């Protein structure tokens, strides 16, 4: 497992780290919680996910209120001229989720996907759940501002998947549970 939680990296730093891990056996989890990724960094991550031999878990949480154990930069590092990636620190909404979905599907899926705070658009959410989560057993969707349509998509996926863990904490589910109820009733009647 490698945790780069809250680390401000340049694109070249990310490229170096991911290329060193790509063919490593027994490398199972990459955590990038609250780690800034720009669009080029996102493309590198997607390429890595599609080619990684042993990766089974990915954490792309972007929730600024979740604290990460990051040391404050030293005074000498503040003088460094390396340009670090920047992104929206409140969500990963503007990332290309369809590209990540295709990358995950290319490798045959991931067991664990944590995308808390992603807040992706509805169309990309549906595609991600249907394409990227084919083998997912643990899915983290906390802080996603889930819509009724997204809850309905998730309900259908739950019935068809082999999910053992689902985190939908910190989402307002008021008036959005009917899809879950209908999916469970349909599954019971179709047994």
């Amino acid at each position: 497992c490698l945790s780069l939680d809250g680390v401000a990296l340049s694109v070249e730093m990310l490229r170096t780290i991911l290329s060193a891990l790509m063919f490593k056996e027994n490398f199972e989890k990459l955590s990038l919680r609250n780690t800034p990724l720009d669009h080029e960094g996102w493309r590198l991550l997607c390429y890595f996910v599609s080619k990684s031999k042993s990766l089974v878990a990915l954490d792309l949480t972007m929730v600024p209120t979740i604290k990460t154990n990051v040391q404050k930069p030293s005074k000498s590092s503040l003088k460094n001229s390396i340009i670090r990636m920047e992104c929206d620190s409140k969500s990963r909404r503007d990332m290309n989720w369809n590209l990540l979905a295709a990358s995950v599907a290319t490798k045959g899926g991931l067991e664990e996907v944590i995308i808390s705070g992603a807040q992706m658009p509805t169309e990309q959410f549906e595609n991600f759940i249907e394409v990227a989560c084919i083998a997912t057993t643990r899915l983290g969707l906390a802080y996603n501002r889930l819509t009724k349509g997204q809850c309905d998509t998730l309900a259908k996926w739950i019935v068809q998947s082999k999910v053992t863990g689902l985190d939908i904490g910190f989402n307002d589910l008021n008036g959005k549970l009917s899809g879950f109820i209908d999916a469970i009733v349909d599954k019971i009647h179709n047994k």
Side-chain angles (χ1 to χ4, degrees), residues 5-6 31-35 59-70 89-90 114-118 140-144 167 169-170:
D5 296 349
S31 181
L32 297 166
R33 292 174 51 190
N34 294 338
T35 300
D59 187 342
L60 294 173
T61 295
M62 183 55 85
V63 180
T65 57
I66 294 177
K67 300 295 180 206
T68 53
N69 264 346
V70 178
S89 64
K90 294 183 177 93
I114 310 297
I115 50 175
S116 298
L141 293 168
Y143 297 97
N144 265 283
D167 180 1
F170 299 96

Side-chain angles (χ1 to χ4, degrees), residues 56-57 110-114 135-140 157 162-167:
V56 294
L110 293 171
E111 290 177 21
E112 179 179 87
V113 178
I114 310 297
T136 302
T137 57
R138 296 175 308 282
L139 179 61
W157 173 78
K162 295 178 181 173
V163 66
T164 59
L166 176 65
D167 180 1

Side-chain angles (χ1 to χ4, degrees), residues 12-114:
E12 194 54 40
M13 289 173 178
L14 182 64
R15 182 186 333 271
T16 301
I17 292 167
L18 295 181
S19 63
L21 297 171
M22 190 168 305
F23 300 107
K24 179 132 180 74
E25 291 182 26
N26 302 320
F27 174 70
E28 295 184 357
K29 182 174 183 176
L30 177 62
S31 181
L32 297 166
R33 292 174 51 190
N34 294 338
T35 300
L37 293 173
D38 62 13
H39 292 286
E40 188 177 349
W42 190 262
R43 285 192 298 270
L44 281 170
L45 173 66
C46 292
Y47 181 78
F48 167 77
V49 167
S50 71
K51 298 293 184 185
S52 176
K53 297 296 183 192
S54 58
L55 185 71
V56 294
L58 182 63
D59 187 342
L60 294 173
T61 295
M62 183 55 85
V63 180
T65 57
I66 294 177
K67 300 295 180 206
T68 53
N69 264 346
V70 178
Q71 288 182 313
K72 292 182 179 180
S74 65
K75 290 180 182 178
S76 62
S77 69
L78 296 174
K79 298 175 187 173
N80 197 319
S81 62
I82 297 173
I83 298 171
R84 310 298 172 117
M85 290 184 281
E86 294 180 7
C87 69
D88 181 357
S89 64
K90 294 183 177 93
S91 75
R92 295 198 192 273
R93 181 176 182 78
D94 62 343
M95 293 293 118
N96 186 345
W97 288 97
N98 290 336
L99 180 61
L100 183 61
S103 300
V104 172
T106 297
K107 82 172 278 60
L110 293 171
E111 290 177 21
E112 179 179 87
V113 178
I114 310 297

Side-chain angles (χ1 to χ4, degrees), residues 168-189:
I168 54 174
F170 299 96
N171 285 287
D172 179 5
L173 300 176
N174 189 26
K176 301 173 187 172
L177 296 176
S178 62
F180 292 103
I181 296 166
D182 294 343
I184 292 169
V185 169
D186 286 348
K187 183 164 184 156
I188 291 169
H189 285 102

Side-chain angles (χ1 to χ4, degrees), residues 100-151:
L100 183 61
S103 300
V104 172
T106 297
K107 82 172 278 60
L110 293 171
E111 290 177 21
E112 179 179 87
V113 178
I114 310 297
I115 50 175
S116 298
Q119 299 179 26
M120 67 182 86
T122 299
E123 286 180 12
Q124 289 189 46
F125 179 86
E126 290 173 5
N127 183 58
F128 191 84
I129 295 299
E130 293 169 2
V131 174
C133 296
I134 53 174
T136 302
T137 57
R138 296 175 308 282
L139 179 61
L141 293 168
Y143 297 97
N144 265 283
R145 297 183 182 171
L146 295 173
T147 66
K148 170 86 168 88
Q150 290 171 329
C151 286

